[in-house]
Amino acid sequence: MTRLQVNGQAKDIDVPEDMPLLWVLRDELGMTGTKFGCGMALCGACTVHVDGAPVRACVTPVSVVAGRAVATIEAMAQDRVGAVVQRAWVDHNVAQCGYCQAGQIMSAVNLLKTTPQPSDSEIDEAMSGNICRCGTYPRIRAAIQQAAGRLARGGV
């Protein structure tokens, strides 16, 4: 039995230690916001936060995150920065197909928590590990800039 802390709630699961966190979230806990993209930690669709840092859930064994704080896209509406980023995503109509957006948002939230006023190059670097097949990168950058401005003004 493994105990996880997912979105602030303790979850006991009985799975193999080497099972990827992605499949625990999706198949065992029914949290389908985190997506499977490539299975090799290259596309970013499976990005979650572990102890506040972005992690690729498709290659992270569940044993590595036992007892640590895991946050998924499902919790971002309750996170101040996450809520501001999600609002900016809507304002800029970022999502087209939407498949990569959970991972994109998780990376953007981490960026704004570590670099509250990022430059364009810092945004590009932080988001470079997330692939958007629809090519909405200019809208992603604009949404992150808007979110940074709102956060700087104390908004939500």
Side-chain angles (χ1 to χ4, degrees):
M1 192 68 68
T2 301
R3 176 162 281 208
L4 299 178
Q5 291 294 324
V6 180
N7 298 334
Q9 296 184 343
K11 306 281 186 179
D12 291 319
I13 53 164
D14 188 15
V15 297
E17 289 184 356
D18 62 346
M19 182 179 220
L21 176 59
L22 175 64
W23 302 123
V24 171
L25 293 171
R26 290 183 62 81
D27 296 346
E28 301 297 321
L29 300 177
M31 303 175 81
T32 58
T34 304
K35 304 297 185 206
F36 174 81
C38 67
M40 298 182 293
L42 299 173
C43 72
C46 67
T47 304
V48 297
H49 294 169
V50 176
D51 293 336
V55 171
R56 302 300 198 240
C58 70
V59 295
T60 303
V62 69
S63 60
V64 171
V65 300
R68 297 170 68 190
V70 176
T72 69
I73 190 67
E74 286 87 355
M76 289 303 102
Q78 287 75 45
D79 179 286
R80 179 175 177 264
V81 176
V84 171
V85 168
Q86 287 178 325
R87 179 76 248 158
W89 244 242
V90 171
D91 290 349
H92 287 273
N93 198 25
V94 171
Q96 282 189 18
C97 83
Y99 199 82
C100 71
Q101 296 309 305
Q104 298 276 3
I105 289 169
M106 297 302 287
S107 292
V109 168
N110 179 73
L111 169 63
L112 292 175
K113 285 184 176 186
T114 59
T115 310
Q117 294 297 306
S119 66
D120 285 348
S121 63
E122 288 171 320
I123 292 170
D124 293 345
E125 182 178 333
M127 302 304 290
S128 68
N130 293 80
I131 297 171
C132 175
R133 302 276 310 212
C134 300
T136 64
Y137 301 112
R139 287 187 269 172
I140 289 168
R141 184 190 296 151
I144 292 170
Q145 291 167 337
Q146 177 183 308
R150 280 188 181 159
L151 290 164
R153 293 185 303 277
V156 272

